[in-house]
Amino acid sequence: VAIFAFGLSLQYYSPQTGWVPFQTGLYYFPPGTYLTLVTPHRASWYVNGTQVTGLNGDKTAVIYINGPTSITLIRDYYVSVFASPRWAGMVSPKSGWYTAGTVITFNETPTSSKYQFAGWTGTYTSYSQSFNATVTRDITEIANYFRV
């Protein structure tokens, strides 16, 4: 089993030894092994390139090992997007959790002719109405407007 974990400490459960910590690397589990994948933070598990989740969409998943398997854990980050003042414009994307590596397009549209877009501030700075950023951490972006 090849396990890739980015920015998280991980453990697997073995009936013989209990919870065992592991790092990114190659591990051998005999065919027929069930692994319980548990994350201490919001993250997404990918097994052989397919995202897996547990019951009710939680971040715990049980997988069955029946041959060569690649397990990747990628952290989710929170992206907050606001307009200031809030009635001066519409912004996207919606605030929420995004998986690391996701490319997000921040976009603003003024909602009143009384306001003009001044620029984005926060984690990143931009003076364009729209810009892209790759999620590698929590992000806060504010579309700032001034009264004309």
Side-chain angles (χ1 to χ4, degrees), residues 2-23:
I3 298 177
F4 305 94
F6 303 98
L8 297 172
S9 60
L10 305 174
Q11 298 181 347
Y12 68 89
Y13 184 78
S14 164
Q16 294 79 21
T17 59
W19 287 101
V20 178
F22 61 89
Q23 302 293 324

Side-chain angles (χ1 to χ4, degrees), residues 39-58:
T39 63
H41 305 285
R42 291 191 60 96
S44 298
W45 287 105
Y46 293 83
V47 176
N48 293 333
T50 301
Q51 186 173 9
V52 296
T53 58
L55 298 174
N56 302 318
D58 67 15

Side-chain angles (χ1 to χ4, degrees), residues 20-85:
V20 178
F22 61 89
Q23 302 293 324
T24 294
L26 295 175
Y27 294 85
Y28 176 76
F29 298 99
T33 299
Y34 285 91
L35 285 182
T36 301
L37 307 175
V38 181
T39 63
H41 305 285
R42 291 191 60 96
S44 298
W45 287 105
Y46 293 83
V47 176
N48 293 333
T50 301
Q51 186 173 9
V52 296
T53 58
L55 298 174
N56 302 318
D58 67 15
K59 296 298 181 174
T60 301
V62 177
I63 63 164
Y64 178 73
I65 303 297
N66 61 359
T69 304
S70 171
I71 301 171
T72 305
L73 177 65
I74 302 176
R75 191 180 190 297
D76 294 339
Y77 293 95
Y78 198 79
V79 176
S80 303
V81 186
F82 306 98
S84 177

Side-chain angles (χ1 to χ4, degrees), residues 75-77 79 98-104 123-124 133-139:
R75 191 180 190 297
D76 294 339
Y77 293 95
V79 176
Y98 292 83
T99 300
T102 301
V103 176
I104 294 178
T123 306
Y124 303 102
T134 301
V135 177
T136 59
R137 58 184 168 164
D138 290 334
I139 297 173

